[in-house]
Amino acid sequence: MSWSSGDFRASAELLGNNGVLEEQKSPRFKKRETEVYIGNLPLDISEEDIRNLLKDFSPFHVHKVQSGCKCFAFVDLGSVQKVALAVQELNGRFFHKRKLYVNFNRSCPKRTPDVAERPRELPVLQKAPGPGLARITACKRFIPKTHSDARKPETPRTSVFAVPMEMRGPFLVLLLRECFRDLSWLASIWNVGGEVGLLVTSVVPQTPFFWAMHVTETLQENMQTLFGALAVAEEQQPYLQPSVVQRGTRGLAEHHLGDYGWAWNRCWVVDRVDRWAVVMFIDFGQLAIIPVQSLRSLDSDDFWAIPPLTQPFMLEEGILSSCQVINRILKGKITGTLNLESHILKFEEFK
């Protein structure tokens, strides 16, 4: 199963005659707001390499800055929405063996990313034996043990991952009640079992959690019906007035599908900060920050008759790399559910 251009329909109303986003032309958007800051770049990086890094966002202009041993760049993407997406997808990614720091073009950070993000060695406090006041001595974890050290060897630590907020039961219950008016979708998740094919739509970085579509004939039918209806709605539904956009608002916004371009999808406003909205794309399981004025109205219950296309999973072992598995099908089997969050299914991939 793969995406095709017929599944989605690009917007014509946001594009001008030359294909440039209309919001780029608006005086309300300053140029710096359409630029993304990329820090911790290698010194020998070229502007062409930076363009290739951001090729999915069609960069207009690259301004590379090198100061001593630091190298960073400001890249004009032509759209605040593309800037928000670039920050979401590229921040923390490794590029030429360096971890990138990607952010909105505000002021340059006071500390370089590699220094700011380096884990600190915390001292271990031990109480020294002896009468009187207890003395405290500090020893660093990285000090090697001598042969005379009689302490037991440290046991390997087990990685513990917190369940992402957007996957937790209380969050999903609130979303389903406000968007779909019923909770039957949560109960249907438990019916998934055995060998499955999962189309990955979103990965929570540095964790084993991910969102995916369970590939079935019913899913394909729902996709065709839903995306067909949303393609028509994109042409007919008006943009929401900024004054009515608030937490709990149902709407329609563009979601980036990587190499497959952009698609309009159902979304739910999680929060609003000034002229930005934090939205949950219902059918892709992904949070995003978008401009408030880019939201279209989608309040009719007819658009919310089909339950969410995606659901949460947890990899039984290891973590997933978003750049490798997004929009690809994983084959494996369901091995159980997560304790206390039984709607999150554990998944073991076939090797």
Side-chain angles (χ1 to χ4, degrees):
M1 178 181 176
S2 61
W3 303 106
S4 66
S5 58
D7 292 329
F8 311 108
R9 196 166 176 175
S11 169
E13 297 190 13
L14 284 181
L15 299 176
N17 296 330
N18 59 355
V20 178
L21 285 175
E22 289 295 339
E23 66 179 20
Q24 177 192 350
K25 303 177 183 178
S26 172
R28 292 176 297 175
F29 290 84
K30 300 178 182 179
K31 181 179 180 182
R32 67 181 300 178
E33 294 176 341
T34 65
E35 289 183 343
V36 64
Y37 168 84
I38 305 179
N40 202 30
L41 290 169
L43 297 179
D44 59 348
I45 195 78
S46 67
E47 290 190 359
E48 188 62 28
D49 291 331
I50 299 174
R51 285 185 180 274
N52 289 334
L53 173 66
L54 294 161
K55 63 181 181 180
D56 290 340
F57 309 100
S58 305
F60 290 106
H61 176 71
V62 176
H63 178 56
K64 174 186 169 185
V65 180
Q66 186 170 334
S67 175
C69 61
K70 300 178 183 179
C71 182
F72 53 93
F74 298 95
V75 184
D76 186 1
L77 301 182
S79 162
V80 291
Q81 189 170 3
K82 287 185 178 180
V83 169
L85 184 65
V87 171
Q88 182 181 2
E89 293 195 1
L90 298 180
N91 186 39
R93 177 182 295 185
F94 281 90
F95 181 65
H96 287 215
K97 298 182 179 180
R98 298 183 71 126
K99 190 173 183 178
L100 295 178
Y101 177 77
V102 183
N103 205 344
F104 298 92
N105 179 14
R106 300 186 182 98
S107 57
C108 294
K110 297 179 180 179
R111 295 179 295 179
T112 56
D114 53 343
V115 174
E117 296 180 5
R118 186 181 298 121
R120 299 178 180 177
E121 292 288 351
L122 298 178
V124 179
L125 300 181
Q126 294 180 329
K127 188 176 293 185
L133 295 176
R135 295 175 297 163
I136 301 296
T137 59
C139 61
K140 293 289 183 77
R141 290 187 185 276
F142 54 74
I143 297 179
K145 298 178 181 178
T146 63
H147 293 290
S148 61
D149 194 344
R151 288 180 297 177
K152 296 181 180 179
E154 295 182 359
T155 57
R157 295 183 178 181
T158 303
S159 298
V160 178
F161 299 92
V163 178
M165 180 271 292
E166 65 272 21
M167 287 188 177
R168 296 178 183 176
F171 177 87
L172 291 178
V173 167
L174 178 63
L175 182 151
L176 292 171
R177 281 178 176 167
E178 294 194 1
C179 291
F180 297 91
R181 316 305 188 199
D182 84 81
L183 306 178
S184 59
W185 176 74
L186 282 177
S188 66
I189 288 179
W190 299 328
N191 296 328
V192 180
E195 296 186 3
V196 295
L198 303 180
L199 176 61
V200 180
T201 59
S202 177
V203 170
V204 182
Q206 307 303 318
T207 76
F209 297 100
F210 64 100
W211 293 83
M213 300 179 182
H214 177 212
V215 181
T216 62
E217 291 185 2
T218 301
L219 172 70
Q220 296 185 31
E221 294 173 358
N222 286 342
M223 286 177 62
Q224 293 178 358
T225 302
L226 176 63
F227 291 134
L230 295 182
V232 175
E234 182 265 324
E235 297 180 345
Q236 299 177 349
Q237 297 297 111
Y239 284 99
L240 289 170
Q241 294 296 322
S243 59
V244 303
V245 177
Q246 58 186 346
R247 177 180 175 86
T249 300
R250 301 189 296 185
L252 180 67
E254 280 191 298
H255 175 63
H256 191 245
L257 296 173
D259 294 338
Y260 300 98
W262 297 78
W264 289 89
N265 187 232
R266 302 179 293 184
C267 65
W268 181 66
V269 177
V270 179
D271 202 358
R272 176 179 174 173
V273 180
D274 195 15
R275 52 195 181 85
W276 296 94
V278 180
V279 300
M280 177 72 171
F281 283 105
I282 303 296
D283 301 299
F284 294 96
Q286 189 167 35
L287 290 172
I289 301 174
I290 64 174
V292 169
Q293 60 266 35
S294 66
L295 273 167
R296 289 180 179 270
S297 173
L298 199 71
D299 201 44
S300 172
D301 288 339
D302 293 340
F303 294 108
W304 302 89
I306 295 177
L309 301 181
T310 188
Q311 64 187 74
F313 293 89
M314 176 182 175
L315 202 62
E316 188 73 56
E317 295 183 1
I319 61 176
L320 296 176
S321 174
S322 59
C323 60
Q324 296 177 352
V325 300
I326 294 293
N327 297 333
R328 294 177 58 182
I329 293 179
L330 300 181
K331 294 183 179 180
K333 62 180 180 180
I334 302 300
T335 60
T337 62
L338 187 63
N339 292 337
L340 303 180
E341 298 285 0
S342 58
H343 58 280
I344 300 179
L345 304 183
K346 293 183 179 180
F347 173 75
E348 181 181 343
E349 184 181 6
F350 292 150
K351 303 298 183 181

